[in-house]
């Protein structure tokens, strides 16, 4: 019973992690008007949060080894909760940037430590569902903020609501620390579960960097498509702005629903096969979306197909890290993977904007296809080494 309760807490924690991730773009028009900031000032805030998240994710493994996953998750959740409450009363934009430091650092630490915990203690099914629940949070956050923006309290009330929700979760996490301490520090005994024992190859230095590189390629392709798909649909496909926004939501929704569906078969198919099938499916979808002159319906089908292909890649690669490397090495590698994911999700999609300016929006999806081909190469090389 305690095992199931802890699993439920882990799921709720990832819903909570996803809640603030997608709200900044929703509230920025109202926030910048209140703070008297230009449109581009959002870049300063998001860059601060991203850098802090990447750094904390990189160091999370060392901290977890000293104090345990439960303490890191509870402390990080409290830190993000207080930062969000601070956002609701911040008197100036400078305060928002300062509060972005604990908000980003707390999110990065939770992300890395929970990913390692689930990879070490639970099956591939739960890892896919874990990231599905992140999608639930990322979908719910903008809806909450939309209701808040329509209310007299505006964006400050919405941010305060998210902060209070995080505070409630932090209290729950501190109250249930004993559950984390009682959890196994290693995966279940393979003899008891009927599974073959894991035998690790000697750790190759190249594998320690290939694993993060896979995340750089994948997240850059996923987020680059999500960032620029609406512009491609509006400017190159002649689709209206509102309709384009809806189909971008469908793209992310297909990733979320795909992860819940993949969780039903992931233990049977295995992480490595799921990654390979997912990348090939995503590549086919990206190619269909990239082709000019196709009917709009086929382009949209390609976007959805890419989302479905993306669904198993991130969670399966993350879960496989605990099977590629010994426990002490896996903890460090997962931190590096999260750092690479943050870098891939911020730097490369932004660089696509320069590419679109110099060459045209038609060059974005071929670059996404190159990233997916590079990911396929990197995962095959990593499979041979581990």
């Amino acid at each position: 019973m305690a095992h199931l309760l802890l699993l439920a807490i882990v799921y709720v924690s990832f819903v909570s992690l996803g809640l603030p991730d997608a709200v900044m773009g929703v509230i920025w028009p109202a926030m910048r008007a209140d703070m008297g900031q230009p449109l581009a000032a959002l870049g300063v805030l998001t860059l601060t949060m991203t850098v802090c998240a990447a750094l904390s994710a990189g160091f999370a493994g060392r901290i977890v080894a000293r104090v345990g996953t439960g303490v890191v998750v509870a402390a990080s959740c409290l830190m993000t909760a207080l930062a969000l409450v601070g956002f609701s009363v911040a008197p100036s934009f400078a305060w928002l940037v300062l509060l972005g430091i604990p908000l980003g650092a707390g999110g990065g630490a939770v992300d890395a430590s929970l990913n390692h915990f689930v990879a070490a203690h639970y099956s591939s099914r739960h890892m896919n569902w874990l990231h599905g629940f992140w999608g639930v949070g990322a979908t719910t956050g903008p809806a909450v903020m939309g209701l808040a923006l329509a209310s007299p309290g505006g964006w400050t009330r919405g941010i305060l609501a998210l902060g209070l929700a995080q505070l409630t979760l932090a209290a729950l996490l501190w109250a249930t620390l004993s559950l984390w301490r009682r959890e196994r520090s290693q995966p279940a005994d393979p003899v008891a579960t009927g599974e073959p024992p894991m035998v690790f190859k000697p750790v190759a230095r190249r594998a320690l960097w290939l694993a993060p590189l896979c995340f750089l390629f994948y997240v850059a392709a996923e987020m680059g498509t999500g960032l620029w798909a609406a512009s491609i649909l509006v400017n190159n496909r002649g689709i209206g702005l509102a309709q384009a926004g809806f189909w971008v939501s469908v793209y992310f929704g297909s990733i979320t629903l795909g992860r819940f569906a993949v969780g039903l078969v992931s233990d049977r198919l295995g992480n490595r096969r799921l990654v390979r099938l997912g990348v090939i499916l995503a590549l086919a979808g990206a190619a269909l979306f990239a082709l000019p002159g196709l009917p709009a319906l086929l382009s949209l089908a390609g976007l959805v197909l890419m989302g479905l292909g993306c669904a198993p890649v991130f969670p399966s690669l993350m879960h496989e890290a605990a099977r590629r490397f010994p426990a002490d090495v896996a903890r460090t590698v997962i931190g590096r993977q999260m750092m690479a994911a943050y870098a891939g999700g911020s730097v490369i999609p932004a660089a696509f904007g320069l590419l679109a300016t110099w060459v045209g929006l038609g060059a974005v999806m071929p670059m996404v296809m190159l990233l997916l081909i590079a990911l396929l190469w990197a995962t095959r090389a990593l499979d041979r080494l581990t």
Side-chain angles (χ1 to χ4, degrees), residues 271-296:
N271 293 324
R272 299 188 182 199
R273 184 181 299 173
L274 279 172
V275 169
R276 187 164 57 251
L277 292 174
V279 175
I280 291 172
L281 189 63
L283 187 56
L288 194 59
F289 187 57
L291 288 173
L294 289 180

Side-chain angles (χ1 to χ4, degrees), residues 23-247:
V23 303
M24 206 55 66
V26 176
I27 66 173
W28 181 242
M31 181 186 282
R32 81 180 187 89
D34 289 349
M35 297 291 180
Q37 293 298 312
L39 192 64
L42 178 60
V44 177
L45 185 57
T46 55
L47 182 62
T48 300
M49 293 166 57
T50 301
V51 170
C52 291
L55 290 174
S56 69
F59 287 103
R62 298 180 187 178
I63 302 173
V64 166
R66 292 190 175 189
V67 301
T69 304
V71 173
V72 171
V73 173
S76 299
C77 186
L78 179 61
M79 189 160 58
T80 58
L82 294 175
L84 287 170
V85 172
F87 261 61
S88 69
V89 295
S92 66
F93 180 72
W95 276 100
L96 292 180
V97 175
L98 285 175
L99 289 166
I101 295 173
L103 185 60
V110 171
D111 212 349
S113 55
L114 281 183
N115 270 297
H116 175 263
F117 186 80
V118 174
H121 293 87
Y122 296 97
S123 67
S124 177
R125 170 185 303 167
H126 292 298
M127 181 62 87
N128 277 278
W129 287 348
L130 181 75
H131 287 272
F133 277 103
W134 175 89
V136 171
T139 304
T140 305
V144 171
M145 295 311 301
L147 292 174
L149 288 170
S151 71
W155 67 270
T156 56
R157 175 176 291 185
I159 286 288
L160 180 61
L162 293 184
L164 294 176
Q166 294 271 38
L167 275 176
T168 303
L169 175 61
L172 175 64
L173 288 167
W174 283 110
T176 55
L177 278 180
S178 60
L179 294 177
W180 299 82
R181 296 192 187 105
R182 288 202 301 267
E183 186 62 298
R184 296 184 305 270
S185 60
Q186 297 292 335
D189 180 8
V191 175
T193 58
E195 298 175 359
M198 288 189 290
V199 179
F200 298 105
K201 290 184 178 181
V203 177
R205 185 177 296 273
R206 198 151 59 98
L208 298 178
W209 294 104
L210 266 176
L213 193 62
C214 290
F215 281 79
L216 181 79
F217 291 149
Y218 167 73
V219 177
E222 180 202 302
M223 297 306 295
T225 300
L227 184 63
W228 294 104
S231 298
I232 293 170
L233 289 172
V234 171
N235 293 287
N236 291 12
R237 305 289 193 271
I239 290 177
L241 188 60
Q243 192 179 4
F246 168 77
W247 282 104

Side-chain angles (χ1 to χ4, degrees), residues 198-373:
M198 288 189 290
V199 179
F200 298 105
K201 290 184 178 181
V203 177
R205 185 177 296 273
R206 198 151 59 98
L208 298 178
W209 294 104
L210 266 176
L213 193 62
C214 290
F215 281 79
L216 181 79
F217 291 149
Y218 167 73
V219 177
E222 180 202 302
M223 297 306 295
T225 300
L227 184 63
W228 294 104
S231 298
I232 293 170
L233 289 172
V234 171
N235 293 287
N236 291 12
R237 305 289 193 271
I239 290 177
L241 188 60
Q243 192 179 4
F246 168 77
W247 282 104
V248 172
S249 296
V250 171
Y251 165 71
F252 283 111
S254 66
I255 296 175
T256 300
L257 293 176
R259 284 173 178 166
F260 283 115
V262 166
L264 299 174
V265 298
S266 58
D267 291 343
R268 200 159 53 244
L269 292 178
N271 293 324
R272 299 188 182 199
R273 184 181 299 173
L274 279 172
V275 169
R276 187 164 57 251
L277 292 174
V279 175
I280 291 172
L281 189 63
L283 187 56
L288 194 59
F289 187 57
L291 288 173
L294 289 180
L297 194 59
L298 282 178
S299 287
L300 296 172
L303 190 61
V304 174
L305 189 65
M306 182 177 171
L308 292 173
C310 285
V313 178
F314 191 107
S316 297
L317 280 173
M318 189 64 71
H319 190 260
E320 189 65 10
R323 283 130 196 90
R324 296 186 192 277
F325 306 102
D328 56 335
V329 178
R331 190 180 293 114
T332 300
V333 169
I334 286 176
R336 290 179 182 175
Q337 289 177 167
M338 291 310 307
M339 289 183 73
Y342 283 116
S346 56
V347 177
I348 297 180
F352 283 173
L354 298 176
L355 183 69
T357 302
W358 296 334
V359 182
L361 280 168
V364 170
M365 290 312 297
M367 288 302 300
V368 168
M369 292 172 62
L370 285 177
L371 286 169
L372 291 172
I373 292 169

